Amino acid sequence: MEKVSIEDVDIVNNPLGVHSVRKPVSRDLGTDSFAMNYFELEPGESFSGGLHAHHDQEEVFHVQEGTATFEVGRDREEHEVAAGELIRFAPGEFQMGKNDSDERVVGFALGAPKARHDFDEMESVVHCRECDEETAHDTVLTDQGAFAFTCSECGNEFTIG
């Protein structure tokens, strides 16, 4: 049995700098088969930083305060998730959650069947400078804590973070 208080979990943010409070609760609980991250998103911040899919993990977001807006699928269909509501994404489903409101959003991102994402199984949709359009990119977290992207269409590579 493990027990933690959200207040005691250290803040560990995304290297893209897209949120100010992300607390990896599952790390402090020592989970192996379940991921849990606590977020506080100020207006304009996001859970992840971009449209992406985890091919190895499903995700559920629970909004406790405020209203989060999720872009879903390659066509970026928007869905609002209010306090007390949840939204689920199947493995391979593209999504991005953000705070488009003027109020703070507080919530949890939950994932399974692993405690951490396998970045080799992650795909991001970002603008490719070579293709001059949004394309799918393989995504890797480097040893330096940055994200490396490789365009699936042309092979162009770039790093952020």
Side-chain angles (χ1 to χ4, degrees):
M1 196 273 313
E2 297 293 331
K3 179 181 174 182
V4 299
S5 168
I6 295 296
E7 292 176 2
D8 295 335
V9 177
D10 290 335
I11 294 173
V12 180
N13 289 330
N14 180 314
L16 298 176
V18 296
H19 45 251
S20 49
V21 176
R22 174 187 167 271
K23 295 185 174 195
V25 178
S26 53
R27 181 194 64 189
D28 284 24
L29 288 173
T31 65
D32 294 322
S33 305
F34 176 77
M36 176 184 244
N37 292 296
Y38 170 85
F39 288 89
E40 294 177 11
L41 303 180
E42 297 302 324
E45 294 184 339
S46 69
F47 290 100
S48 64
L51 190 67
H52 68 283
H54 301 279
H55 295 287
D56 65 332
Q57 190 169 35
E58 67 181 317
E59 285 188 296
V60 173
F61 291 84
H62 175 235
V63 176
Q64 290 187 304
E65 294 178 24
T67 299
T69 301
F70 285 85
E71 294 179 7
V72 181
R74 296 287 299 263
D75 59 351
R76 297 177 181 261
E77 183 179 325
E78 288 195 356
H79 296 270
E80 288 190 347
V81 181
E85 295 181 331
L86 298 96
I87 189 168
R88 174 195 175 263
F89 298 101
E93 188 171 11
F94 283 94
Q95 52 89 5
M96 180 183 91
K98 57 189 175 178
N99 181 359
D100 275 345
S101 74
D102 294 331
E103 305 294 325
R104 182 176 71 153
V105 169
V106 175
F108 286 91
L110 314 165
K114 299 176 183 178
R116 300 196 65 174
H117 298 304
D118 181 351
F119 285 98
D120 291 338
E121 296 293 327
M122 185 174 169
E123 188 176 13
S124 300
V125 175
V126 295
H127 182 81
C128 174
R129 294 176 188 118
E130 291 295 317
C131 296
D132 197 27
E133 64 182 338
E134 277 194 335
T135 59
H137 284 66
D138 293 329
T139 307
V140 176
L141 184 63
T142 69
D143 292 339
Q144 293 78 31
F147 284 108
F149 299 96
T150 304
C151 178
S152 301
E153 298 292 322
C154 72
N156 183 49
E157 298 177 358
F158 66 96
T159 304
I160 299 176

